[in-house]
């Protein structure tokens, strides 16, 4: 099980928000996080200040060495997939193959209108753009490090058919059967299934409550990575620091998340043929025919 951290890059001053995000990424690497993710927001939607995540991650790549760098997520229907593939390829080369490219349909109808797109067509447009994107990306990135933030049945099935990972930010509930969608994804995914759960860590909750909530999450057994974020997403940089350190030092051990995957001590101390948690087979649920 891997551990990642997500920030929405908020604040009144964009330049300060970008500098603080770079510092947060450096701190995440120091704390042993496996990945660091940034969210894309156009025109300050939901307080986010980052419309161009690959540009900022290029700066992060120059200040870090090992941590994987993720987008959570790029609104694919608003992008030229060929142009996005070119920019992603440059960043992946610059970072030494550390890019985790998360895409989604987008949730901001105003941004769709300003880009000349129809928001109601976003799911169909995402599938069409994704097929072009996967064809244009460097092969290793396309095959192993593209993620789709979705929980709709049709999109989960499309991700499985294309060998794309699923980034799930919707917690399971009685009226939102995410677990069954993840089970079907694991059953039919082409290649190795990849599921990452994005989960909020409310700044005011105790460490014990956070651990209990995460361990009780029925989607947890289907995931190979948990990407945590401070809530609310507009918290100050010092709150990000506190949440990030608390999760790394106290929450991580209870989730069975091993130390940094890139650390040499992990390789030296573990001598087994058992598959890693991220690769361990999950239960298979097949529909009756």
């Amino acid at each position: 099980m891997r551990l990642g951290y997500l920030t929405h890059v908020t604040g009144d001053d964009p330049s300060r928000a970008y500098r603080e995000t770079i510092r947060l990424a450096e701190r995440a690497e120091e704390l042993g996080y496996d990945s660091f993710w940034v969210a894309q927001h156009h025109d300050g939607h939901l307080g986010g200040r980052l419309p161009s995540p690959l540009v900022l991650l290029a700066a992060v790549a120059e200040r870090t060495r090992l941590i994987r760098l993720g987008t959570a997520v790029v609104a694919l229907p608003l992008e030229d997939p060929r142009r996005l593939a070119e920019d992603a390829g440059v960043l992946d080369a610059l970072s030494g193959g550390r890019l985790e490219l998360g895409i989604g349909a987008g949730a901001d109808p105003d941004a769709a209108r300003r880009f000349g797109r129809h928001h109601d067509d976003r799911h169909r447009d995402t599938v069409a753009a994704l097929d072009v994107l996967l064809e244009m990306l460097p092969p290793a990135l396309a095959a192993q490090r593209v993620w789709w933030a979705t929980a709709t049945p049709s999109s989960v099935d499309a991700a499985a058919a294309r060998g794309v990972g699923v980034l799930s930010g919707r917690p399971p509930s009685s009226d939102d059967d995410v677990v069954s969608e993840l089970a079907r994804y694991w059953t039919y995914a082409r290649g190795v299934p990849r599921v990452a759960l994005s989960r909020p860590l409310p700044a005011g909750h105790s460490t014990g409550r956070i651990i209990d909530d995460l361990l009780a999450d029925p989607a947890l057994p289907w995931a190979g990575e948990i990407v945590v974020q401070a809530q609310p997403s507009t918290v100050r940089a010092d709150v990000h620091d506190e949440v990030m350190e608390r999760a790394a030092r106290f929450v991580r051990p209870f989730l069975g998340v091993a130390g940094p995957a890139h650390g040499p001590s992990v390789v030296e101390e573990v001598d087994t043929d058992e598959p890693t948690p991220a690769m361990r087979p999950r239960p298979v649920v097949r529909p009756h025919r």
Side-chain angles (χ1 to χ4, degrees):
M1 180 76 74
R2 291 175 171 175
L3 182 65
Y5 193 82
L6 167 65
T7 173
H8 287 259
V9 193
T10 62
D12 296 331
D13 181 358
S15 62
R16 179 177 179 179
Y18 301 155
R19 291 193 298 271
E20 288 178 344
T21 300
I22 295 171
R23 185 189 60 77
L24 279 177
E26 293 179 284
R27 182 58 179 150
E29 185 167 77
E30 292 172 359
L31 289 170
Y33 278 83
D34 299 289
S35 60
F36 182 82
W37 304 71
V38 294
Q40 180 191 61
H41 293 285
H42 292 288
D43 301 308
H45 181 61
L46 300 179
R49 297 296 179 184
L50 183 59
S52 303
L54 298 183
V55 176
L56 181 58
L57 289 179
V60 172
E62 290 299 286
R63 299 284 290 272
T64 57
R65 294 180 51 250
L66 302 170
I67 196 166
R68 295 178 297 117
L69 310 175
T71 59
V73 293
V74 174
L76 188 54
L78 308 187
E79 303 282 341
D80 180 328
R82 294 173 179 81
R83 178 74 262 189
L84 177 61
E86 290 179 335
D87 289 346
V90 171
L91 174 55
D92 198 46
L94 180 67
S95 65
R98 290 188 283 143
L99 176 61
E100 302 287 334
L101 184 59
I103 60 92
D108 183 1
D110 290 333
R113 176 179 51 81
R114 287 189 290 271
F115 276 79
R117 308 294 203 276
H118 295 288
H119 189 65
D120 291 342
D121 297 335
R122 64 191 183 280
H123 297 296
R124 182 194 65 191
D125 292 346
T126 298
V127 174
L130 179 59
D131 285 337
V132 176
L133 180 69
L134 292 173
E135 183 179 351
M136 299 294 295
L137 283 172
L141 176 56
Q144 303 172 20
R145 289 179 280 118
V146 176
W147 301 82
W148 193 342
T150 184
T152 65
S154 60
S155 297
V156 169
D157 289 346
R162 290 161 175 78
V164 171
V166 168
L167 179 61
S168 177
R170 296 170 62 185
S173 65
S174 58
D175 59 348
D176 184 15
D177 198 3
V178 175
V179 171
S180 66
E181 300 302 332
L182 296 180
R184 192 169 72 251
Y185 169 80
W186 263 90
T187 302
Y188 295 108
R190 179 171 62 84
V192 178
R194 292 178 290 115
V195 173
L197 301 181
S198 175
R199 293 294 183 257
L201 302 186
H205 286 189
S206 69
T207 301
R209 179 176 176 181
I210 287 173
I211 293 170
D212 288 343
D213 288 345
L214 289 174
L215 292 180
D217 190 332
L220 186 64
W222 303 96
E225 182 158 0
I226 296 179
V227 180
V228 298
Q229 58 176 302
Q231 281 291 311
S233 60
T234 54
V235 297
R236 302 184 312 271
D238 61 315
V239 178
H240 278 294
D241 286 335
E242 188 275 330
V243 171
M244 181 185 290
E245 182 158 358
R246 184 155 51 122
R249 297 190 184 282
F250 303 113
V251 177
R252 183 180 193 130
F254 284 89
L255 297 175
V257 184
H262 42 253
S265 62
V266 175
V267 177
E268 293 169 0
E269 294 176 4
V270 178
D271 183 17
T272 176
D273 293 329
E274 184 180 1
T276 64
M279 301 288 287
R280 185 171 293 119
R282 265 56 172 181
V284 175
V285 179
R286 298 186 186 276
H288 295 292
R289 297 188 182 278

mmCIF file of all heavy atoms in Angstrom, residues 4-19:
data_model
loop_
_atom_site.group_PDB
_atom_site.id
_atom_site.type_symbol
_atom_site.label_atom_id
_atom_site.label_comp_id
_atom_site.label_asym_id
_atom_site.label_seq_id
_atom_site.Cartn_x
_atom_site.Cartn_y
_atom_site.Cartn_z
ATOM 1 N N GLY A 4 0.019 8.797 -0.637
ATOM 2 C CA GLY A 4 0.243 10.042 -1.355
ATOM 3 C C GLY A 4 -0.422 11.204 -0.657
ATOM 4 O O GLY A 4 -1.270 11.026 0.227
ATOM 5 N N TYR A 5 -0.033 12.411 -1.054
ATOM 6 C CA TYR A 5 -0.630 13.625 -0.490
ATOM 7 C C TYR A 5 -1.109 14.514 -1.622
ATOM 8 O O TYR A 5 -0.416 14.682 -2.637
ATOM 9 C CB TYR A 5 0.370 14.389 0.381
ATOM 10 C CG TYR A 5 -0.312 15.451 1.224
ATOM 11 C CD1 TYR A 5 -0.923 15.107 2.415
ATOM 12 C CD2 TYR A 5 -0.368 16.784 0.812
ATOM 13 C CE1 TYR A 5 -1.582 16.058 3.185
ATOM 14 C CE2 TYR A 5 -1.024 17.738 1.572
ATOM 15 C CZ TYR A 5 -1.631 17.368 2.761
ATOM 16 O OH TYR A 5 -2.289 18.305 3.514
ATOM 17 N N LEU A 6 -2.299 15.116 -1.432
ATOM 18 C CA LEU A 6 -2.918 15.971 -2.446
ATOM 19 C C LEU A 6 -3.148 17.370 -1.897
ATOM 20 O O LEU A 6 -3.615 17.529 -0.764
ATOM 21 C CB LEU A 6 -4.261 15.367 -2.873
ATOM 22 C CG LEU A 6 -5.210 16.262 -3.698
ATOM 23 C CD1 LEU A 6 -4.615 16.601 -5.050
ATOM 24 C CD2 LEU A 6 -6.566 15.585 -3.859
ATOM 25 N N THR A 7 -2.833 18.379 -2.705
ATOM 26 C CA THR A 7 -3.166 19.756 -2.367
ATOM 27 C C THR A 7 -3.904 20.401 -3.528
ATOM 28 O O THR A 7 -3.622 20.115 -4.689
ATOM 29 C CB THR A 7 -1.911 20.579 -2.022
ATOM 30 O OG1 THR A 7 -2.292 21.963 -1.849
ATOM 31 C CG2 THR A 7 -0.868 20.506 -3.118
ATOM 32 N N HIS A 8 -4.854 21.290 -3.186
ATOM 33 C CA HIS A 8 -5.612 22.017 -4.199
ATOM 34 C C HIS A 8 -4.987 23.360 -4.550
ATOM 35 O O HIS A 8 -5.554 24.113 -5.345
ATOM 36 C CB HIS A 8 -7.059 22.202 -3.740
ATOM 37 C CG HIS A 8 -7.866 20.941 -3.799
ATOM 38 N ND1 HIS A 8 -8.751 20.669 -4.810
ATOM 39 C CD2 HIS A 8 -7.891 19.858 -2.977
ATOM 40 C CE1 HIS A 8 -9.311 19.491 -4.614
ATOM 41 N NE2 HIS A 8 -8.796 18.968 -3.512
ATOM 42 N N VAL A 9 -3.835 23.666 -3.963
ATOM 43 C CA VAL A 9 -3.058 24.867 -4.307
ATOM 44 C C VAL A 9 -3.951 26.107 -4.199
ATOM 45 O O VAL A 9 -4.295 26.754 -5.197
ATOM 46 C CB VAL A 9 -2.431 24.768 -5.712
ATOM 47 C CG1 VAL A 9 -1.382 25.872 -5.901
ATOM 48 C CG2 VAL A 9 -1.792 23.405 -5.941
ATOM 49 N N THR A 10 -4.322 26.448 -2.991
ATOM 50 C CA THR A 10 -5.232 27.559 -2.746
ATOM 51 C C THR A 10 -4.494 28.737 -2.117
ATOM 52 O O THR A 10 -3.344 28.622 -1.708
ATOM 53 C CB THR A 10 -6.368 27.115 -1.812
ATOM 54 O OG1 THR A 10 -5.809 26.709 -0.549
ATOM 55 C CG2 THR A 10 -7.145 25.952 -2.415
ATOM 56 N N GLY A 11 -5.187 29.871 -2.040
ATOM 57 C CA GLY A 11 -4.626 31.063 -1.418
ATOM 58 C C GLY A 11 -4.925 32.303 -2.231
ATOM 59 O O GLY A 11 -5.272 32.231 -3.413
ATOM 60 N N ASP A 12 -4.804 33.462 -1.603
ATOM 61 C CA ASP A 12 -5.105 34.722 -2.280
ATOM 62 C C ASP A 12 -4.037 35.113 -3.294
ATOM 63 O O ASP A 12 -4.327 35.786 -4.286
ATOM 64 C CB ASP A 12 -5.264 35.854 -1.245
ATOM 65 C CG ASP A 12 -6.457 35.628 -0.321
ATOM 66 O OD1 ASP A 12 -7.428 34.982 -0.779
ATOM 67 O OD2 ASP A 12 -6.400 36.074 0.832
ATOM 68 N N ASP A 13 -2.804 34.715 -3.048
ATOM 69 C CA ASP A 13 -1.677 35.089 -3.911
ATOM 70 C C ASP A 13 -1.173 33.852 -4.656
ATOM 71 O O ASP A 13 -0.555 32.973 -4.047
ATOM 72 C CB ASP A 13 -0.560 35.680 -3.050
ATOM 73 C CG ASP A 13 0.647 36.121 -3.865
ATOM 74 O OD1 ASP A 13 0.635 35.938 -5.100
ATOM 75 O OD2 ASP A 13 1.610 36.631 -3.266
ATOM 76 N N PRO A 14 -1.426 33.731 -5.962
ATOM 77 C CA PRO A 14 -0.997 32.535 -6.694
ATOM 78 C C PRO A 14 0.495 32.257 -6.588
ATOM 79 O O PRO A 14 0.902 31.103 -6.426
ATOM 80 C CB PRO A 14 -1.414 32.829 -8.139
ATOM 81 C CG PRO A 14 -2.543 33.790 -8.014
ATOM 82 C CD PRO A 14 -2.206 34.635 -6.818
ATOM 83 N N SER A 15 1.330 33.296 -6.685
ATOM 84 C CA SER A 15 2.775 33.057 -6.650
ATOM 85 C C SER A 15 3.196 32.463 -5.308
ATOM 86 O O SER A 15 4.041 31.564 -5.249
ATOM 87 C CB SER A 15 3.538 34.361 -6.916
ATOM 88 O OG SER A 15 3.270 35.330 -5.912
ATOM 89 N N ARG A 16 2.584 32.946 -4.238
ATOM 90 C CA ARG A 16 2.894 32.377 -2.922
ATOM 91 C C ARG A 16 2.385 30.955 -2.823
ATOM 92 O O ARG A 16 3.070 30.072 -2.275
ATOM 93 C CB ARG A 16 2.269 33.238 -1.829
ATOM 94 C CG ARG A 16 2.527 32.719 -0.418
ATOM 95 C CD ARG A 16 1.949 33.653 0.624
ATOM 96 N NE ARG A 16 2.176 33.161 1.967
ATOM 97 C CZ ARG A 16 1.788 33.790 3.081
ATOM 98 N NH1 ARG A 16 1.157 34.954 2.977
ATOM 99 N NH2 ARG A 16 2.029 33.274 4.267
ATOM 100 N N ALA A 17 1.175 30.697 -3.352
ATOM 101 C CA ALA A 17 0.617 29.346 -3.320
ATOM 102 C C ALA A 17 1.518 28.368 -4.059
ATOM 103 O O ALA A 17 1.713 27.221 -3.613
ATOM 104 C CB ALA A 17 -0.782 29.346 -3.925
ATOM 105 N N TYR A 18 2.088 28.787 -5.172
ATOM 106 C CA TYR A 18 2.962 27.893 -5.943
ATOM 107 C C TYR A 18 4.245 27.603 -5.168
ATOM 108 O O TYR A 18 4.705 26.447 -5.125
ATOM 109 C CB TYR A 18 3.301 28.516 -7.294
ATOM 110 C CG TYR A 18 2.106 28.825 -8.159
ATOM 111 C CD1 TYR A 18 2.160 29.824 -9.136
ATOM 112 C CD2 TYR A 18 0.900 28.135 -8.012
ATOM 113 C CE1 TYR A 18 1.064 30.119 -9.929
ATOM 114 C CE2 TYR A 18 -0.200 28.425 -8.808
ATOM 115 C CZ TYR A 18 -0.116 29.419 -9.757
ATOM 116 O OH TYR A 18 -1.197 29.715 -10.540
ATOM 117 N N ARG A 19 4.830 28.635 -4.569
ATOM 118 C CA ARG A 19 6.058 28.414 -3.795
ATOM 119 C C ARG A 19 5.798 27.500 -2.600
ATOM 120 O O ARG A 19 6.616 26.622 -2.290
ATOM 121 C CB ARG A 19 6.629 29.757 -3.326
ATOM 122 C CG ARG A 19 7.193 30.634 -4.454
ATOM 123 C CD ARG A 19 8.020 31.778 -3.893
ATOM 124 N NE ARG A 19 7.222 32.664 -3.060
ATOM 125 C CZ ARG A 19 6.544 33.726 -3.520
ATOM 126 N NH1 ARG A 19 6.576 34.016 -4.819
ATOM 127 N NH2 ARG A 19 5.849 34.489 -2.697
#
